[in-house]
Amino acid sequence: MKKASKSYFVWLIILAGLYAILKNALFGVLFLSSVVMLFISIIIPRILIQFIDICIEVEDEAVSRTENIKCKICIKNRSIFPTNRLYVKINANNIFFREKEEFYINVPATIRGENCIYFDINCEYLGNVKLEVVQIIIRDYLNIVTKSKDINKTIDIKVMPQYIKNDMMLEQVYDEADDGDKQVLTIDSTQMRGVREYVEGDSLYRIHWKLSAKYDEYMVKEFEMSMEANTVIMLDLIRDKYEHLNDVIEILYSLLIDFSSKMAKGFTIKS
């Protein structure tokens, strides 16, 4: 921009010098035309920036890591001045991974009209992405003046992990769980086998109130016992390096889906 500005002012000085030396009306006309163009070029962005409205939308606020975020930016121009040198500055911030990308989208503005541009953003990292429209920037036709206006509109997008189907990995987890974890007896509260008299230490939640009223003494429910194997999946997120964390989270996500589909019982997640 500085080079273009210097070049244009050099051009004006040359025209003024030629007109002063040669007294040629052509150079005088060229000089005056160039001055008028310079004035128009400076004043239009200052006016235009006040009459521009912007709207941003996304197709889906939750996408997987393999999908692009499909965005739409609409510029509404309420003035009589068009421009094809309007740019929208957008930041995409991933808070968890501390990753930030900047985008400059060119959206031409028509006379008293609206123009929409569609574009995609590729997110490499999982987590919440904050999509922020930071500024509108307008440059003049001579590339001398740049005017900007702060916008600060945000949209929160969730980048979800991708399911990875791996039966061998799941079988290995089951084998390790069978070898290392002990089976324990637990009460199946859905299967009642009978009632008996209350004994000190019994839970009040197991009292059968209707039978207790009938026999005029506390009666408690007895339930069937079932075998349960505890499987614990632990995810360590206390790391400074996130090089492979995307893959780790997707593996964990896939395991949880597989466990659920096979109706595995009694696993807890610690992070």
Side-chain angles (χ1 to χ4, degrees), residues 154-191:
T154 60
I155 298 177
D156 291 326
I157 300 167
K158 295 178 177 62
V159 181
M160 305 296 292
Q162 180 188 11
Y163 172 70
I164 303 172
K165 184 173 179 57
N166 193 330
D167 293 332
M168 293 181 61
M169 178 178 64
L170 186 62
E171 290 174 4
Q172 181 180 357
V173 172
Y174 273 120
D175 292 340
E176 293 176 357
D178 291 339
D179 293 339
D181 292 338
K182 296 180 179 179
Q183 290 184 326
V184 295
L185 286 172
T186 58
I187 295 174
D188 187 353
S189 60
T190 62
Q191 299 292 330

Side-chain angles (χ1 to χ4, degrees), residues 29-45:
V29 171
L30 289 175
F31 175 76
L32 290 176
S33 300
S34 299
V35 171
V36 171
M37 287 179 59
L38 177 62
F39 176 78
I40 294 174
S41 182
I42 291 174
I43 202 68
I44 285 180

Side-chain angles (χ1 to χ4, degrees), residues 215-231:
Y215 292 107
D216 198 25
E217 62 178 328
Y218 288 125
M219 306 294 291
V220 296
K221 305 172 187 176
E222 285 194 313
F223 299 97
E224 296 289 346
M225 305 299 290
S226 63
M227 299 297 294
E228 183 180 275
N230 292 325
T231 302

Side-chain angles (χ1 to χ4, degrees), residues 19-156:
Y19 175 72
I21 295 172
L22 302 177
K23 303 297 182 182
N24 191 318
L26 175 62
F27 295 114
V29 171
L30 289 175
F31 175 76
L32 290 176
S33 300
S34 299
V35 171
V36 171
M37 287 179 59
L38 177 62
F39 176 78
I40 294 174
S41 182
I42 291 174
I43 202 68
I44 285 180
R46 295 176 181 272
I47 298 174
L48 187 58
I49 198 73
Q50 305 299 325
F51 292 90
I52 293 293
D53 299 321
I54 185 170
C55 175
I56 183 169
E57 299 175 358
V58 294
E59 185 176 294
D60 196 344
E61 293 186 0
V63 298
S64 69
R65 187 161 67 102
T66 57
E67 297 176 335
N68 290 332
I69 301 174
K70 298 186 180 298
C71 309
K72 180 177 78 170
I73 287 184
C74 293
I75 291 292
K76 184 176 181 181
N77 181 12
R78 294 179 282 110
S79 74
I80 60 172
F81 301 110
T83 181
N84 61 354
R85 309 202 69 184
L86 186 149
Y87 299 87
V88 180
K89 180 182 178 181
I90 298 175
N91 288 343
N93 300 315
N94 188 305
I95 300 172
F96 182 74
F97 285 92
R98 302 187 186 95
E99 290 290 328
K100 179 179 178 180
E101 290 187 77
E102 289 186 353
F103 304 90
Y104 289 87
I105 311 299
N106 178 224
V107 187
T110 58
I111 299 175
R112 294 187 180 276
E114 186 177 33
N115 187 25
C116 295
I117 295 291
Y118 296 85
F119 65 97
D120 294 348
I121 295 178
N122 180 27
C123 289
E124 299 180 2
Y125 298 97
L126 301 170
N128 290 332
V129 174
K130 186 177 181 182
L131 200 65
E132 181 181 10
V133 180
V134 182
Q135 279 183 330
I136 294 176
I137 302 169
I138 299 178
R139 295 173 181 163
D140 70 294
Y141 290 104
L142 299 178
N143 207 23
I144 295 174
V145 176
T146 299
K147 294 297 294 181
S148 63
K149 180 171 71 173
D150 294 336
I151 303 298
N152 296 325
K153 290 185 177 182
T154 60
I155 298 177
D156 291 326

Side-chain angles (χ1 to χ4, degrees), residues 192-209:
M192 189 177 74
R193 70 179 184 183
V195 293
R196 60 172 173 80
E197 294 182 2
Y198 174 83
V199 178
E200 186 178 354
D202 285 336
S203 172
L204 295 178
Y205 293 104
R206 295 172 60 185
I207 293 178
H208 197 304
W209 294 106

